[in-house]
Amino acid sequence: MKFYRITALLLKYYYISINRVDRLFDILYWPILDVLLWGFTSAFIKDISEVNILSMALGGVILWLFVWRSGQDIAVFILEDFWSRNLYHLFSSPVRLTEHILSILIWGVIRATVSFIFLSLLAYGLYAFNILTLPILFMASAIAILLLFGWAMGFFITGCIFRYGQRIQVLAWSVVWVIQPFSCVFYPLSALPAWAQPIAKILPTTHVFETLRSILFGYGEGNLLYALVATLVFMAVTSLFLLQSFKHAKRSGMFARHD
Amino acid sequence: MKDIVVKGLCKSFKSRGKTITAVDDVSFYVTKGEIFGFLGANGAGKSTTINILAGLLTQDKGTVKLCGKDPYKDWEYVKNRMNVSTAYFPLSDVLTVRQNLRVYAKIYGVKDVEAKINQLLEDFELTALGDKRVNRLSSGERTRTALCKGFINDPQLLLLDECTVGLDPDIAEKTRRLIKEYQKRTNCTILFTSHYMHEVEELCDRVAFMEEGKIVTIATVDELKKRVTKHKVELTLAENGDDLKDLLKEEGLTVLAGRDNTLIFEVDVASDDVNTIVQQLVKQGLNLKDIHIKKPTLDDIFIHFARRKK
């Protein structure tokens, strides 16, 4: 692995981000809408019922962006190369798959950090919600677990793209959102129907948000240690899947197809 | 020294339950400093072979050595010394020409990046378009941008897969000149495929003909021309040559075309003597104004191999 090749790829993602307004937009636009939507909804619920879900909702929105950004960025940047048929040049150059993926991960962390800082300031400015009042150990572990889980999702989606091509590109936008209802981001695990609870318990994300609720309200069934172990297992499995899919793509000629 | 050594290369693809053999037991070598042409009809296996050499495709069987090394074991060594260019895969269309070249220059660890980019843009007449996004370029300009990328690392081994498609004739001519000049200056090895036979004839030292995944022959262009013994003879007559057509047919010759005062027929130089044929025609009262014997070109050789297959 060569550092100068990773920085070259980071330069490419920087160029893509400054040349395409929509790439800049999704760092701030959708997260801001989420904060506004959940902030106003929480304020309304508090007005009519005196139940305060503001910190839970905003904490959920701000932390969820790590799963969203890290998972979606991998797939979207790989798709960007597919759309411009650029994988031909990339994989015939000295760039290795690990360098390619690592550069996307670094770029994803940069984008997620920008979104995180901006949303934290917005939540503080609009609703006086300070996410930094949460315990630092929880914040560090939650962000690490959510980032890693997002990457695992990203590896899965990328593996599918390498295997089946652009026809399954809808996965890039949908997988993270399919997982969200089972991750109990905005409501407790007990609020899920009985059939959905076992699925939710398997997901590391559920345990992170349950722990968040236990810190904020004193109830929740989160187990961060399980979440970390499960995330590492997901990472290992999806990394293997990605590697096998890359080999499959090289056997099938996916990177050298004209269409 | 050989920069490309390919032995027993095989590659097949599965499509809808059927196995399609794209490359079937292909072996060849290219010596250092040689421009080696790959010819064949669409689907003959040229691009598949190049994609395997470029590391984009894994072969089912066979071995490949590039720059004297196994590309799988000595990835860094081989990949940094080679490059690929094709008209079919433009660079990232979201980036400008300069941004694309800067990224690839850095990927290949080029030392003086901006100087190298400026020189390539000037060579390929792209200086004015340097800050334009690739998606705003014409197809010929995109092709030239991809060619710039192909030369960005001063490669020792260059794979050019139909790299002049879509270029205007003057730019295509300049591109061929640049390829030749670069090859002479650096003694680089080039594997070149094209559908334009005159390009192959102009550039290549040796040529391989591929047919249904197999190499059917490897030879120099001159050697290949010698194998095609059928030459075209074009006669310009003082009067209408309709009567002459029957006469030539009686002599067992194939008339290819005849209109007004012009007549084109085919002779096999291995068995026929053009002088004798013409003398006989003159004796029989032929009033000949001009005669032109066309030696076979690579186009004729291409057609010869295609006909042979049929």
Side-chain angles (χ1 to χ4, degrees), chain B residues 229-231 233 248 251-254 265-278 280 293:
Chain B
T229 53
K230 294 206 169 153
H231 290 196
V233 180
L248 289 168
E251 293 286 331
L253 299 166
T254 312
F265 64 96
E266 200 173 58
V267 291
D268 192 334
V269 290
S271 56
D272 303 324
D273 180 6
V274 182
N275 275 340
T276 316
I277 294 166
V278 173
Q280 273 179 354
I293 301 170

Side-chain angles (χ1 to χ4, degrees), chain A residues 28-137:
Chain A
L28 301 176
Y29 181 76
W30 296 113
I32 288 172
L33 281 187
D34 262 353
V35 164
L36 292 177
L37 185 72
W38 283 101
F40 294 142
T41 308
S42 306
F44 169 68
I45 291 170
K46 194 186 169 191
D47 279 353
I48 59 165
S49 67
E50 296 203 350
V51 175
N52 190 357
I53 62 159
L54 186 81
S55 52
M56 186 177 75
L58 291 182
V61 168
I62 294 171
L63 287 178
W64 181 255
L65 78 87
F66 284 98
V67 181
W68 174 25
R69 279 271 64 85
S70 55
Q72 195 169 297
D73 274 0
I74 300 175
V76 170
F77 277 99
I78 292 273
L79 276 172
E80 192 86 54
D81 284 324
F82 254 100
W83 293 327
S84 58
R85 292 178 291 171
N86 200 37
L87 290 171
Y88 179 92
H89 293 290
L90 214 54
F91 290 132
S92 61
S93 79
V95 169
R96 289 173 184 273
L97 178 67
T98 44
E99 292 165 344
H100 190 208
I101 297 293
L102 191 60
S103 64
I104 297 177
L105 298 187
I106 294 170
W107 193 247
V109 170
I110 294 169
R111 281 160 58 90
T113 308
V114 172
S115 299
F116 175 74
I117 293 169
F118 193 82
L119 289 196
S120 302
L121 290 172
L122 192 70
Y124 186 71
L126 290 177
Y127 310 107
F129 171 71
N130 185 359
I131 195 152
L132 298 178
T133 55
L134 292 170
I136 191 79
L137 192 64

Side-chain angles (χ1 to χ4, degrees), chain A residues 179-191:
Chain A
I179 284 164
Q180 195 188 38
F182 299 98
S183 295
C184 305
V185 182
F186 304 111
Y187 39 79
L189 177 65
S190 55

Side-chain angles (χ1 to χ4, degrees), chain B residues 27-240:
Chain B
S27 300
F28 66 97
Y29 67 86
V30 184
T31 51
K32 183 156 183 57
E34 188 178 18
I35 304 184
F36 189 83
F38 244 17
L39 291 180
N42 289 327
K46 309 180 299 286
S47 292
T48 305
T49 307
I50 285 204
N51 289 336
I52 292 171
L53 300 186
L56 292 159
L57 199 57
T58 43
Q59 68 267 40
D60 300 334
K61 264 190 344 191
T63 58
V64 172
K65 270 198 169 186
L66 302 174
C67 306
K69 307 260 183 187
D70 181 339
Y72 297 101
K73 287 180 187 162
D74 297 288
W75 174 278
E76 291 284 330
Y77 182 91
V78 174
K79 288 280 183 172
N80 279 311
R81 282 166 179 76
M82 67 182 280
N83 211 322
V84 190
S85 188
T86 172
Y88 298 117
F89 290 94
L91 299 182
S92 181
D93 57 4
V94 188
L95 271 57
T96 67
V97 174
R98 270 185 189 280
Q99 287 172 343
N100 264 306
L101 294 178
R102 205 171 283 137
V103 167
Y104 281 97
K106 286 178 186 290
I107 282 174
Y108 283 97
V110 173
K111 281 190 181 133
D112 196 349
V113 174
E114 295 309 315
K116 185 73 197 165
I117 292 172
N118 288 337
Q119 177 223 315
L120 284 169
L121 292 180
E122 202 183 314
D123 285 348
F124 287 94
E125 296 181 15
L126 285 167
T127 307
L129 303 172
D131 295 319
K132 224 174 175 185
R133 281 196 211 167
V134 171
N135 60 8
R136 307 249 167 91
L137 302 178
S138 69
S139 64
E141 289 161 351
R142 285 179 201 206
T143 302
R144 280 186 277 156
T145 310
L147 274 163
C148 287
K149 178 245 141 190
F151 286 95
I152 198 86
N153 61 328
D154 290 325
Q156 176 190 326
L157 173 60
L158 186 55
L159 310 178
L160 297 175
D161 189 10
E162 296 186 27
C163 65
T164 56
V165 171
L167 294 183
D168 291 331
D170 58 332
I171 295 289
E173 194 275 326
K174 191 177 181 187
T175 302
R176 288 195 295 276
R177 187 161 47 77
L178 284 169
I179 292 170
K180 243 182 172 171
E181 278 172 12
Y182 176 77
Q183 194 277 331
K184 271 189 183 167
R185 195 174 71 241
T186 61
N187 197 32
C188 118
T189 307
I190 299 175
L191 185 60
F192 186 87
T193 78
S194 175
H195 278 294
Y196 307 129
M197 297 299 135
H198 67 281
E199 284 192 341
V200 177
E201 200 165 347
E202 187 183 327
L203 288 174
C204 298
D205 302 304
R206 283 190 306 144
V207 174
F209 260 96
M210 282 194 85
E211 192 181 284
E212 292 179 345
K214 286 178 183 289
I215 288 184
V216 288
T217 189
I218 299 177
T220 64
V221 173
D222 284 340
E223 282 168 357
L224 282 173
K225 281 180 178 177
K226 280 176 195 163
R227 288 187 204 174
V228 179
T229 53
K230 294 206 169 153
H231 290 196
K232 284 175 194 161
V233 180
E234 189 178 325
L235 302 178
T236 309
L237 310 167
E239 65 271 347
N240 192 298

